Each structure stands twice: as C-alpha cells, then as structure tokens.
C-alpha cells in the first residue's frame, strides 16, 4: 500500500546570527502509512520541529520533496494542505468560545452554522469535554485546553495529524494519562499521527514507529522495541533509556572480550571483529559475589539509589561504572559490597564500533 | 522568606505630595470655574454657575460690578471650534490607525531587508519637535499650492500619529503567539480570513488603545495645527490659546473644566475596558 | 513566497507613501528653504543664499544680513532650560517610582493611571492652570500674602522659572514611565546582597541601584529633553519676553517677520540638536545599557 506521507531527501538550512549556517534538515527520508503513530524523537535542535513544520506548510524546504497522498506539496500554502497541527502552545483563539474554536475549520470552509455546532459538539464529546462548548479557553485547565486543541484539529478529518510536543506543558501525572488517551483517540479516529517530542518515555509509550533524529539527520527508524533493544548507533542507545556500553573484541564463538580483559557471553551468531556491546540496566541482575555462577561479571557496589519499587546501583566493574536496575526484593545491599552481575546473552546487543 | 524593610515614612509623604502636585492645577481650574468674581477670577468670591450658563448662551453674563465686558464672545465660535476638532480627530484616527496597524503587522510577521530602517523611520515623526514638523508642513503646503483647511490639519496630524498607533499595536503584536496565525492557516483559512477572524480580533485591544491615543492627541494638538490651520478651520485648542493670549477670562475655567471632565471620562472608560479584558 | 511579498507590499505601501510625501517632503523642503533668499515682502527668491546661517553662526556680510549672537544665545539658553527640565523631572520622579514599585499590584496600576491621566487632559488647559496659579494675584501669592510670608506679590509668571516649571509639569509622565519600568525590574536580591556584603546605603545606591536604572533614566531624559528644547507653546504662555526659547524665534519668523528662509534655517538648527541627542542615545547609552543588562 502506498504511504500517505512520503518525504524524500528533505533539506533545510538556516543562517545563524553569527553568519554561519545550520542544517536543520540534512537529507531526511521518511514514509508514514495509514493509521500509523509515528514519533519524531530527538534533542532540541535536531530538526524534528522543522520537519513537522515543513509537512504542515509553515516552512519551505531548500531541497527534496514532501508528497501527501501522492501529491507534491511544493508551493502549496498551509491552508490548502490536508494536514492539521496541534501546537505546543495549543494556539487556541482566546476571543472565541470553545465550540467556535473547535468548529473553526468548518466556519472557514463555509459550513452552515447548525451543522458546525453539531459536529463541534460531537468532537467535544469524543475528547471528553461534553457541554463545555460555551466556555472561553481561558476558563479551562491545561489538560482541557489540550483536548480542545485536539478536537479542533481533528474535526476536519485531516489525513495526518501533526503534534508538536503537545504534552510538554502538562504536569507529569496528566501527561501520562494523556499519553494513553492520545493513543486510544488515534485508534478511534483512524488518522495517522506524527508526534514530535524530546521525551523518550512518551515516544516509547505511544508510537508504532519511532524516528530518532540528530543534527538534521535520521539516526534510526524502528518500533519502540527495536529502538530500545537494537539501537543502531551509540547516540540512539544513549538517548533512549539508560545503557551500559562497552567496547569489545568478538572472538566468533559466542564470546567477546572487553579491553579490560573481561569475557562476555554474546549471541552465538555475532561473528568476529570489534564492536560495542550494549546491556540495559534492567537486563542485569545482582547476586552476592560468593554464590556467583560461571561467567558472571564481578564488581563492587559504588552507590545505591532507592526509588521505591526499584533500586538503582552503580557498580564498579574493573574501573568502569555499570548501571543496574533491580527490584527491591528485601535483600540487603550496601555500598562497598562485592557482587556479581548475571545476564541473558540473548539480551546483549552488538553494534559496529564505528558508530 | 525575609521581610523587606518598609520605606521610610518620609518617602510615602513625599510621594503623596507629588501626586497632589500633579493634580493641583486641574483642581484649581475646576474650583475657580465656580467663582463668581468677575474682576479677578483668581480670588474666590462666591459660588456660581453663570460661566457654564453663559458658555451655552443660556445666560447673558451681566456686565455687573462696573465692567461692561460680555465675556463669551460667541458660543457659536466655541462650538464651531469643537466641531472642527472632532472632525479632524475622527478622520485622523481612522487614517492613522489604518496606517499604523498595517505597518505594525508587516514588521512583526515579515522579514525583509529594510526592516531595521522602517523601525527607525517610524520613531522619527514622534521625536521630531512639533515646531519643525509644523513649519515644514506649512512651507510644503504653501509651496505646492494646497489651500490650508481642515484637510491639511488631518494630513499633518496623521504624519506623527501613525507612529503612535504603530508603537501601541506593535507592543500588542509582540505579546501575540505567532502560532495563532499558523493554527488558523493550518485549519484552512487563507491570509485574509486569518486577518479578519484571528489577527484583528486578537490585536483589537492594541488597535483600540492606539486609536484612542491618536484621537486624544489629535484633539489636543496645538503646535502643528497652529501652523497649518486655515482661517476658517480653528480648532478647540487654538480657540482656547487665542482666548488665553488675549488675557485670562473666567469662561476659560468653565471650558477647561468641561474638557478635563471629558478627558477623564474617556480615559477612565478606556482603563475600565482594559481591566475587563484582562479578566 | 510570492503571496508573502504581495502581502508585505500591501501592508507597507501606505506608510511608505504617506511618510515619504508628508513627512520627508516637509523635512526636505525646510532644508531647501533654509538656503534660499528671503523675498522682500515675505515669500522667497529661488537663489542659493547662505547668509541665513550666517546670521546665526557669524558669517553674515553685515550689509544685507547682520550676525546677531542673540540667536546662538537663545539656542544655548533653550538647551540649558531643557536640561534643567530633565534634571528637575528626574529628581521629582525618581523617589516616587521606588515608592510605587513596592505597592500591591492593583495600587501600582492605580498610581500609574494617576500619572498618565493628566497627559490626556488638554495641554493648553494645564498650562493655563499654571498661569492662574503663578500670576501676581494668583493662588501662590494669595496664600503667601495671606499668611504674611511676603508683603508684595512675587513675580513668578513670565520668568524662565515659570517656563521650566511648566515644562517639568507637562513632561513628568515621559520621565516617570521609563524610569518606573527599570525600577520595577530592579532585582531586589541584588540590593540585599550588596547590603549583605557590607555596602552602605549610598554605596549600594551608587554602585547597584543607579547603574541598573540608568537605561530608564537615559530613555526618560531623551523623551523629556527633545520636546522641551524646541517647545514654543509653554514659553509663549508662561514665559513672556524673558522666557523666550528658540521655538518662539522660529514662530516669529513665520508669523510676524515673515522671513521663512531664516525660520527654516533656525529649525534646521533645532533639528540638528535633536538628531545629535538621539544619535548619542542610540550609540552610547543604549549600548551601555545593554552591557549592564548582560552582566
């Protein structure tokens, strides 16, 4: 099936005030399919917002092309594109009622007033704001404004909904609740979502696919599991969750040797040569040093961080620090204690060392 | 939290005195507008409404106490001057608000090479001394063969009041989220619809504020008007100015009081509207 | 992009045309007139004629036009009076801004309103009020005579003092608002820190408060100085012959002497003073303010 959105070799360069230039988009290729929830993830300045704004039509590309349902978007102004945006600031019109905000695109398109108000009412029902249509945006809470912005940009049934860090202004609890609601809403309305965020937790929770960006380029595209389990680059591994990364030499028999002389068990099909081994803190388990099984990694507890249901440890393994997450099982660990780390070799991910 | 040491009492007293100083002249004018002393209007005699009645031709001010002067020369003249001022201020407000608002929008939403130049040029008419602009316009109109009239006054006022409106609207524009216009475009509105349905309503407080400022300054302008008014286009400030030049007359107090009250009502209403919008 | 250009053109052409014709046109024509020969009975002869400036600055031929140092004298006096106005405004206003800045939010708004309100009442009436107060049989003399402090009325009206007083009164809002905005933004923890570090009150004032509020003071000073130096209404109403300022000279050339080229030359001098002040402000003081802001 043809993707709804195709981006080919998108390029955009800005002049900096100092007289230099910055590549906000440096040859980006991306396809988005129907009903897909795609997240653009990366640190600020990585180009994710520029890409979103280029799709919406607020920015023009210097090179490359954006096709929406097969149609080239070059020169098409924002108001003629079948995409809608939820802004970071929500950008609600403070001089209009909530219902008029929601019905704005219908009003502009010349839809009659009674139909407008009826459909606005339906959209408000959908986002859980029934009966709030007569209020002004200033009378709503942050979460409610967020829903109005969503309803407003979904009422015209866009082909793609673009969301520019829409949850960043909400507090943590509300943000987690909205993550679930957004995902459910997307299933319900059947519109493709392109979601921009710098929050990896948000990206992992909601996305069908995550696009990790850095310095105007795509580092990796994949499902949340792939991104987390099989990061393609050091940057991705670092950016998504906590990681233990160690340079190793593969010996080809399911073993790898670190520069410190430590031998790790790795998947048996991993070949030979230099590589970077990646182990997530949650894939490591702690045991007391004296009852360690064969092949366990010996270390010393440097620091213990208590987080309620979880314990975080910083373990000194031959001079380098490894992170370990463990459930609080009531066992007594203390700083300076000698321990051993065990793991499932299948969970060790190897990347070519160059990246 | 540490408590901030309060100001010394002397500062409070001084500040209150300062505000008395600001309002003293206005109070003096208002009080003495009810003074019945014909000979020396600065010495209080007794309370009277005569000056107000005389102003509107309702009472011939008696040439009592040995004077034979009838002080209000002509109510018609006064009303005519008021009418001229209102005409000038109304047209000036419309034109300068349009020009100033358009410029403020252009400056805020577009990037162009001469942007800095325009910003500077918009400050110039405000900073140019009135007298320079006044005589410049006078020579300009005479040399080009314009007849001095209400029209020349309107043209003159708009040259500097467009800048005032520009400043006020630009301030409002700066506080506006650019995403509002993007959202409107995103939802299918072209530039004109966005302007009408989103930008203009959002800018309204600034536009109304700028328009009020333009109206008040235009009503009050004396220097520029003084040079470019024709013989039959006397405005209210010019009328009062000529009355004062010919010697202080008691009716001026009455006229002044009415003008002060009118300004207080307009400015008070403006402030009230603004505070309501804030809520 | 072409759409954008079109909109920009539509938005900018009114102001470009208007100011181009009715603002820069008059300024240009003043410049031209200032080097034309005055006609015998008003009007001008279209010949180049530099003796208009000669009369002011001293190279007149002494036959047709005479150099009169009085013009320069009045120019400097006007600048001096404007400078006095600036200083008096600042001294009057500065303490009050601190007092207002620490009031509750609503009270702050109220007092700001009180400051700006007189600005919205007619200028000519405010001046007239001072005429009533200052004149020999006016309020001040009545009070002073009444309590026996003086025996003969003071001559306050038609003096330079009266002119400066009138200008101070009229210009107060222009000083108050910029100074207030910088005082309000003053970081109080800095003042406390300075006190903590052992600075005395006046040291804190000189080294912390004054530099921080300097941008507001400079802005207010320019806003007061410029309309003061070229003023002619205030000296006309309150100043009489003794309080004459450069603006009155210009007015006389246009309405009494009917020597327009000379009046134009005098206005060019006023314009030069004003532009110089603006230039100094823009290049020196604004930059200094930015430096302070960066610290």
């Amino acid at each position: 099936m043809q993707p709804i959105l195709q981006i080919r070799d998108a390029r955009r360069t800005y002049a900096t005030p100092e007289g230099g230039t910055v590549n906000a988009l440096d040859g980006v290729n991306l396809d988005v399919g129907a009903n897909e929830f795609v997240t653009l993830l990366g640190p600020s300045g990585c180009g994710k917002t520029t890409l979103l704004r280029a799709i919406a039509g607020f920015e023009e590309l210097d090179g490359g092309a954006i096709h929406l349902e097969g149609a080239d978007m070059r020169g098409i102004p924002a108001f003629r594109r079948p995409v809608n945006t939820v802004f970071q600031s929500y950008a609600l019109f403070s001089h209009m009622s909530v219902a008029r905000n929601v019905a704005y695109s219908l009003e502009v398109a010349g839809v009659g007033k009674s139909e407008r108000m009826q459909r606005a009412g339906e959209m408000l029902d959908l986002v859980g704001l029934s009966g709030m249509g007569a209020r002004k945006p200033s009378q709503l809470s942050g979460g409610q404004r967020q829903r109005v912005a969503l309803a407003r940009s979904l009422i015209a049934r866009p082909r793609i909904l673009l969301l520019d860090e829409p949850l960043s202004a909400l507090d943590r609890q509300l943000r987690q609740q909205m993550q679930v609601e957004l995902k459910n809403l997307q299933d319900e309305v059947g519109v493709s979502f392109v979601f921009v965020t710098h929050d990896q937790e948000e990206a992992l929770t909601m996305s069908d696919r995550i696009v990790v960006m850095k310095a105007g380029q795509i580092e990796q595209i994949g499902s949340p599991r792939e991104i987390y389990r099989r990061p393609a680059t050091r940057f991705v591994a670092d950016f998504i969750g906590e990681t233990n990364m160690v340079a190793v030499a593969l010996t080809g028999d399911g073993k790898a040797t670190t520069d410190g002389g430590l031998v790790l068990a790795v998947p048996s099909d991993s070949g030979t040569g230099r590589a970077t081994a990646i182990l997530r803190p949650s894939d490591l388990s702690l045991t007391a040093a004296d009852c360690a099984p064969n092949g366990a990694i010996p270390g010393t507890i440097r620091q213990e961080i208590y987080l309620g249901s979880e314990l975080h440890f910083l373990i000194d393994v031959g001079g380098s620090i490894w992170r370990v997450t463990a459930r609080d099982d009531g066992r007594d660990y203390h700083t300076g204690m000698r321990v051993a780390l065990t793991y499932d070799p299948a969970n060790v991910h190897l990347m070519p060392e160059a990246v | 939290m540490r408590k901030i040491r309060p100001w010394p009492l002397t500062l409070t007293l001084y500040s209150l005195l300062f505000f008395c100083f600001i309002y003293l002249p206005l109070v003096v004018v208002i009080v003495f507008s009810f003074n019945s002393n014909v000979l020396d209007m600065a010495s209080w005699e007794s309370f009277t409404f005569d000056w107000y009645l005389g102003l509107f031709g309702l009472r011939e001010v008696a040439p009592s106490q040995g004077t034979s002067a009838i002080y209000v020369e002509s109510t018609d003249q006064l009303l005519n001057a008021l009418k001229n001022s209102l005409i000038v201020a109304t047209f000036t407000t419309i034109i300068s608000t349009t020009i100033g608002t358009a410029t403020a929008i252009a400056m805020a939403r577009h990037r162009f090479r001469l942007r800095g130049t325009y910003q500077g040029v918009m400050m110039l008419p405000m900073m140019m001394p009135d007298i320079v602009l006044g005589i410049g316009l006078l020579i300009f109109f005479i040399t080009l063969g314009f007849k001095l009239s209400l029209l020349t006054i309107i043209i003159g006022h708009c040259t500097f009041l467009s800048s005032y409106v520009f400043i006020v609207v630009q301030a409002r524009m700066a506080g506006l989220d650019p995403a509002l216009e993007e959202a409107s475009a995103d939802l299918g509105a072209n530039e004109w619809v966005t302007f009408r349905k989103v930008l203009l309503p959002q800018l309204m407080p600034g536009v109304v504020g700028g328009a009020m400022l333009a109206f008040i300054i235009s009503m009050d302008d004396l220097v520029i008007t003084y040079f470019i008014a024709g013989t039959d286009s006397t405005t209210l400030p010019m009328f009062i100015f000529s009355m004062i030049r010919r010697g202080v007359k008691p009716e001026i107090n009455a006229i002044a009081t009415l003008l002060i009250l009118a300004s207080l009502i307009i400015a008070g209403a403006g402030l009230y509207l603004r505070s309501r919008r804030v809520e | 992009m072409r759409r954008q250009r079109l909109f920009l053109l539509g938005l900018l052409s009114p102001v470009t045309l208007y100011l181009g014709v009715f603002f820069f046109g008059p300024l240009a024509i003043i410049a031209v007139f200032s080097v034309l020969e005055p006609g015998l009975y008003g009007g001008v002869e279209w010949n180049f004629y530099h003796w208009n400036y000669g009369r002011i600055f001293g190279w007149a031929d002494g036959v047709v036009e005479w150099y009169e140092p009085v013009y320069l004298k009045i120019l400097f006096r006007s600048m001096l009076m404007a400078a006095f106005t600036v200083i008096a405004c600042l001294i009057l206003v500065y303490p009050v801004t601190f007092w207002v800045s620490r009031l509750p939010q609503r009270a702050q708004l109220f007092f700001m309103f009180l400051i700006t309100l007189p600005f919205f009442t007619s200028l000519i009436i405010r001046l007239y009020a001072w005429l009533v107060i200052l004149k020999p049989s006016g309020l001040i003399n009545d009070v002073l005579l009444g309590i026996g402090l003086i025996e003969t009325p003071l001559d306050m009206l038609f003096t330079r003092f009266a002119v400066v007083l009138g200008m101070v009164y009229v210009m107060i809002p222009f000083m108050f608002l910029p100074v207030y905005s910088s005082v309000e933004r003053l970081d109080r923890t800095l003042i406390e820190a300075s006190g903590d570090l052992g600075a005395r009150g006046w040291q804190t004032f000189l080294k912390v408060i004054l530099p921080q509020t300097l941008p507001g003071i400079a802005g207010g000073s320019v806003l007061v100085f410029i309309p003061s130096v070229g003023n002619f209404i205030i000296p006309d109403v309150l100043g009489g012959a003794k309080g004459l300022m450069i603006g009155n000279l210009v007015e006389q050339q246009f309405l009494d002497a009917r020597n327009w080229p000379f009046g134009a030359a005098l206005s060019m001098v006023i314009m030069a003073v004003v532009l110089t002040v603006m230039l100094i402000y823009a290049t020196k003081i604004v930059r200094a303010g930015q430096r302070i802001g960066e610290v």
Side-chain angles (χ1 to χ4, degrees):
Chain A
M1 202 185 77
Q2 201 193 355
I4 287 185
L5 174 69
Q6 284 180 301
I7 298 165
R8 288 290 169 269
D9 195 32
R11 290 177 187 280
R12 179 83 169 96
T13 308
Y14 291 114
T16 60
E18 293 81 39
T21 56
V22 167
N23 288 330
L25 294 176
D26 191 3
V28 169
N29 291 288
L30 177 67
D31 287 353
V32 176
N35 294 344
E36 211 184 358
F37 197 125
V38 173
T39 299
L40 307 181
L41 176 67
S44 63
C46 72
K48 56 190 192 301
T49 298
T50 307
L51 184 58
L52 195 81
R53 290 172 59 81
I55 301 170
F58 305 136
E59 307 259 352
E60 287 186 55
L61 294 179
D62 297 329
I66 295 173
H67 288 262
L68 261 170
E69 296 189 297
D72 190 350
M73 287 293 112
R74 189 188 317 252
I76 308 279
F79 63 87
R80 293 220 186 89
R81 297 193 184 194
V83 297
N84 286 137
T85 308
V86 176
F87 291 85
Q88 187 169 14
S89 61
Y90 313 147
L92 297 181
F93 307 133
S94 56
H95 61 289
M96 296 181 186
S97 69
V98 165
R100 227 186 125 200
N101 261 285
V102 173
Y104 185 78
S105 53
L106 304 180
E107 180 181 333
V108 167
V111 175
K113 177 150 191 184
S114 57
E115 191 193 335
R116 246 158 48 199
M117 287 302 127
Q118 191 207 328
R119 279 175 62 185
E122 288 166 13
M123 283 313 293
L124 286 173
D125 292 345
L126 183 69
V127 296
L129 289 179
S130 307
M132 302 237 186
R135 299 202 188 170
K136 283 282 173 75
S138 56
Q139 295 168 299
L140 302 182
S141 69
Q144 288 171 326
R145 285 181 208 182
Q146 163 75 72
R147 288 160 210 246
V148 174
L150 266 171
R152 184 177 71 176
S153 44
L154 280 172
I155 196 168
R157 306 198 178 115
R159 304 302 302 163
I160 297 183
L161 185 70
L162 308 171
L163 302 103
D164 184 8
E165 309 219 13
L167 306 182
S168 60
L170 304 178
D171 62 49
R172 188 178 161 78
Q173 205 176 353
L174 194 53
R175 198 158 67 221
Q176 285 171 337
Q177 184 193 335
M178 284 303 295
Q179 286 170 12
V180 178
E181 281 188 34
L182 261 181
K183 184 69 186 153
N184 292 342
L185 187 68
Q186 194 245 342
D187 290 340
E188 204 163 335
V189 296
V191 169
S192 299
F193 278 28
V194 175
F195 187 99
V196 161
T197 185
H198 62 266
D199 180 328
Q200 41 115 353
E201 181 197 316
E202 239 168 62
L204 293 174
T205 317
M206 294 187 286
S207 321
D208 295 323
R209 280 195 299 155
I210 296 175
V211 179
V212 184
M213 293 182 70
K214 177 197 168 193
Q217 293 181 324
I218 292 179
E219 289 277 301
Q220 187 176 7
I221 303 179
S223 69
R225 168 168 285 275
E226 279 166 2
I227 297 275
Y228 186 76
R229 281 288 166 206
R230 318 218 144 274
T233 64
R234 258 175 181 279
F235 174 79
V236 175
D238 244 352
F239 196 74
I240 314 279
E242 287 192 292
T243 326
N244 298 301
M245 262 187 275
V246 55
V248 292
L250 299 172
T251 49
D253 52 355
K255 292 270 185 288
T257 316
T258 70
D259 297 345
L262 199 66
V263 178
L264 293 179
V266 296
S268 50
D269 56 350
S270 36
T272 58
R274 304 273 317 162
T276 302
I278 289 174
L279 261 168
R280 295 288 178 185
S282 54
D283 292 331
L284 289 161
S285 319
L286 275 191
T287 53
D290 43 11
C291 54
N294 239 359
I297 305 165
T300 310
I301 297 182
R302 266 294 168 78
Q303 203 178 339
E304 179 192 18
I305 303 153
Y306 184 68
L307 291 173
S309 62
E310 280 184 350
L311 284 165
H312 285 201
F313 295 99
L314 301 181
I315 312 284
D316 184 341
V317 177
S320 59
I321 298 294
W322 289 47
R323 294 160 185 277
V324 177
T325 310
R327 231 166 344 163
D328 183 11
D329 52 9
R331 266 190 290 175
D332 178 42
Y333 294 108
H334 55 265
T335 305
M337 182 176 167
R338 305 229 0 115
V339 290
L341 308 178
T342 58
Y343 56 94
D344 179 351
N347 285 337
V348 178
H349 173 59
L350 295 167
M351 310 185 292
E353 198 191 30
V355 291
Chain B
M1 211 182 92
R2 209 140 50 109
K3 214 171 143 66
I4 301 166
R5 214 177 332 137
W7 295 124
L9 188 66
T10 43
L11 182 65
T12 306
L13 281 178
Y14 170 78
S15 300
L16 293 176
L17 260 174
F18 172 82
F19 283 99
C20 292
F21 166 72
I22 288 181
Y23 282 90
L24 170 79
L26 301 183
V27 173
V28 167
V29 169
I30 294 172
V31 168
F32 280 88
S33 72
F34 299 105
N35 181 8
S36 68
N37 191 334
V38 181
L39 285 176
D40 184 358
M41 42 146 302
S43 329
W44 182 261
E45 200 175 78
S46 63
F47 185 88
T48 181
F49 263 125
D50 282 1
W51 308 121
Y52 290 92
L53 296 174
L55 215 55
F56 295 105
L58 295 174
R59 174 172 304 177
E60 199 72 7
V61 176
S64 58
Q65 292 145 1
T67 64
S68 58
I70 292 172
Y71 291 107
V72 174
E73 289 136 72
S74 161
T75 308
D76 286 349
Q77 261 182 28
L78 172 67
L79 290 180
N80 196 46
L82 178 64
K83 194 186 84 190
N84 282 342
S85 277
L86 286 172
I87 292 172
V88 167
T90 305
F91 282 99
T92 299
T93 303
I94 294 169
I95 298 168
S96 58
T97 304
T98 310
I99 295 177
T101 304
T103 314
I105 293 174
M107 301 282 283
R109 290 296 178 260
H110 296 269
R111 297 278 163 272
F112 51 100
R113 214 175 310 138
L114 290 175
R115 199 163 167 276
T117 313
Y118 268 89
Q119 184 76 36
V121 163
M122 290 309 282
M123 299 294 133
L124 274 182
M126 285 198 306
M127 299 309 281
M128 196 52 62
D130 291 352
I131 191 159
V132 175
L133 194 54
I135 63 138
L137 284 162
L138 172 66
I139 309 176
F140 179 81
F141 287 135
I142 297 296
T143 311
L144 293 186
F146 274 77
K147 192 178 173 301
L148 296 182
S149 63
L150 289 183
L151 178 66
T152 50
I153 303 178
I154 292 169
I155 291 174
H157 284 190
C158 287
T159 51
F160 67 103
L161 288 176
S162 299
S163 295
Y164 279 88
V165 175
F166 167 77
I167 299 290
V168 176
V169 177
Q170 196 184 39
R172 172 81 193 170
M173 197 82 195
L176 218 59
D177 184 0
L180 287 176
E181 290 146 76
E182 288 178 354
S184 173
D186 189 62
L187 294 165
N190 63 28
E191 287 88 344
W192 170 241
V193 175
T194 298
F195 174 75
R196 207 160 38 90
K197 288 187 186 277
V198 175
L199 190 54
L200 197 57
Q202 288 283 335
L203 279 184
M204 225 30 182
V207 175
V208 171
M212 272 176 56
L213 191 65
F215 188 88
I216 288 171
I217 297 179
S218 173
M219 278 296 281
D220 188 36
D221 179 76
L222 178 54
V223 181
I224 290 168
T225 315
Y226 182 76
F227 287 104
I228 57 176
T231 43
D232 55 348
S233 48
T234 302
T235 62
L236 197 55
M238 289 172 71
F239 181 76
I240 299 169
F241 186 51
S242 66
M243 271 180 97
I244 292 172
R245 273 192 158 179
R246 276 175 283 141
V248 174
K249 302 208 173 68
E251 304 86 344
I252 301 179
N253 284 328
I255 299 173
T257 302
L258 292 178
L259 280 178
I260 290 170
L261 290 181
S263 331
L264 290 185
I265 289 167
I266 294 174
L271 193 83
Y272 173 72
L273 286 177
R274 219 173 66 188
S275 70
R276 266 182 44 136
R277 253 193 302 275
V278 169
E279 285 165 25
Chain C
M1 273 293 106
R2 259 193 57 233
R3 283 182 81 94
Q4 295 269 312
R5 289 277 138 202
L6 225 62
F7 271 92
L8 183 62
L9 194 70
L11 289 170
L12 280 183
S13 44
V15 77
T16 311
L17 284 175
Y18 201 97
L19 291 188
V21 175
F22 295 120
F23 179 67
F24 288 106
L27 291 192
I29 216 164
I30 293 179
V32 171
F33 260 60
S34 72
V35 289
L36 291 182
E37 187 179 345
L40 267 181
Y41 310 100
V44 287
E45 305 289 333
W46 289 82
N47 308 319
F48 177 75
Y49 192 78
H50 55 79
W51 284 327
N52 295 319
Y53 290 104
R55 282 177 73 181
I56 305 171
F57 295 110
W59 67 79
D61 59 355
V63 179
V64 188
E65 304 280 15
W66 286 270
Y67 164 60
E68 274 288 357
V70 70
Y71 299 119
L72 275 183
K73 217 176 106 191
I74 291 179
L75 173 69
F76 288 129
R77 186 207 286 165
S78 304
M79 289 165 66
L80 209 62
M81 285 164 80
F84 269 125
T85 306
V86 168
I87 293 166
C89 270
L90 181 62
I91 292 172
L92 268 178
V93 150
Y94 200 61
V96 182
T97 57
F98 282 87
W99 183 73
V100 172
S101 74
R102 235 190 242 180
L103 293 172
Q105 187 72 33
R106 287 191 79 88
Q108 279 188 32
L109 284 175
F110 174 70
F111 280 102
M112 299 279 283
F113 175 64
L114 281 190
I115 288 275
T116 41
L117 196 57
F119 174 73
F120 290 112
T121 60
S122 169
L123 165 77
I124 186 70
I125 281 168
R126 278 177 289 155
L127 294 181
Y128 160 73
W130 281 108
L131 194 67
V132 174
I133 294 171
L134 294 177
K135 68 180 188 162
S137 61
L139 196 67
I140 293 183
N141 276 318
D142 272 4
V143 171
L144 292 180
L145 287 169
I147 58 174
L149 216 62
I150 52 172
E151 277 163 19
T152 51
L154 294 173
D155 258 336
M156 287 175 292
L157 196 57
F158 305 132
T159 60
R160 277 170 223 166
F161 163 76
V163 176
V164 172
L165 179 66
M167 293 205 291
V168 168
Y169 181 70
V170 169
M171 305 295 172
I172 275 175
F174 298 109
M175 184 61 91
F176 188 92
L177 296 177
V179 172
Y180 174 77
S181 75
S182 64
V183 165
E184 199 208 3
R185 264 178 305 185
L186 202 63
D187 189 347
R188 260 176 222 149
T189 55
L190 280 183
I191 301 171
E192 288 174 0
S194 170
D196 261 2
L197 296 171
R200 291 167 192 278
W202 60 270
Q203 284 174 323
T204 303
F205 177 78
L206 279 182
K207 294 196 188 296
V208 179
I209 299 178
L210 198 62
Q212 292 248 334
T213 53
L214 201 61
I217 294 173
S221 301
V222 171
L223 285 181
V224 171
F225 183 87
I226 286 178
S228 298
V229 76
N231 211 300
F232 93 91
I233 295 284
I234 298 174
D236 192 294
V237 175
L238 299 175
K242 274 186 266 173
L244 209 65
M245 289 176 73
I246 185 92
N248 303 84
L249 285 186
V250 174
E251 187 219 352
Q252 282 171 7
Q253 298 309 315
F254 276 85
L255 300 178
D256 304 332
R258 298 201 54 77
N259 186 342
W260 287 18
F262 185 58
L266 283 172
S267 338
M268 289 297 284
V269 173
I270 298 180
M271 207 160 25
V273 170
V274 167
L275 289 178
T276 309
V277 170
M278 280 172 74
L279 214 66
I280 293 172
Y281 176 73
T283 54
K284 293 266 160 59
I285 300 176
V286 169
R287 281 209 203 121
Q290 281 166 349
R291 269 205 303 279
I292 290 169
E294 281 161 17
V295 171

